[in-house]
Amino acid sequence: MPWFGRKKTAERPHVSAGERLAHLEKFIQSRYGVEAYLEPRTTVTETTVLLVAHDGEWTRRRVADPQAARRFAHQQGVPLYDVTLVGYPQRMRDYNERRKRRPEEFGPAPR
């Protein structure tokens, strides 16, 4: 049985750029105190925008490039921070800790 030549059986379905931006817009519209954080491209991941609400709830989606992230944040009226300069907000870490301790109160994990 050849292991190295096999194709993956469970591929992620393609999500369009419009669908990713719509998800981010919905997050901003349904919460308050939202800030955006630019996560740069690495060898493992593409450039992403992380949105963090007032209570630490968060979501992230891939964007085309840093300029697209800046345009999006400007259009939505939310501040954009470079995570490599400012780090992740403490309220996000606190939210993640609360999710770990009481998962029954939160529902499915953010993607």
Side-chain angles (χ1 to χ4, degrees):
M1 181 191 250
W3 291 97
F4 298 106
R6 292 190 332 178
K7 289 187 176 184
K8 293 180 182 177
T9 57
E11 294 289 330
R12 288 178 96 180
H14 177 71
V15 178
S16 73
E19 290 172 312
R20 290 190 301 267
L21 291 178
H23 170 81
L24 295 172
E25 288 173 8
K26 183 178 176 185
F27 186 89
I28 291 169
Q29 293 167 358
S30 62
R31 289 149 181 91
Y32 66 92
V34 176
E35 296 175 330
Y37 292 83
L38 174 64
E39 297 177 310
R41 183 175 191 223
T42 68
T43 56
V44 180
T45 61
E46 298 296 322
T47 303
T48 57
V49 169
L50 172 75
L51 298 179
V52 182
H54 78 285
D55 63 351
E57 183 181 3
W58 59 274
T59 191
R60 90 170 27 97
R61 290 294 184 271
R62 185 169 44 104
V63 292
D65 53 39
Q67 293 78 17
R70 287 184 193 95
R71 276 192 308 276
F72 174 78
H74 179 74
Q75 290 169 349
Q76 297 298 313
V78 297
L80 177 70
Y81 304 104
D82 187 332
V83 79
T84 61
L85 298 175
V86 300
Y88 293 99
Q90 183 63 46
R91 69 183 183 278
M92 179 184 163
R93 291 191 290 268
D94 294 343
Y95 178 83
N96 289 339
E97 186 62 31
R98 288 191 308 270
R99 284 186 65 88
K100 278 189 218 174
R101 291 177 190 237
R102 299 185 312 259
E104 67 281 355
E105 293 180 22
F106 289 91
R111 313 183 306 137

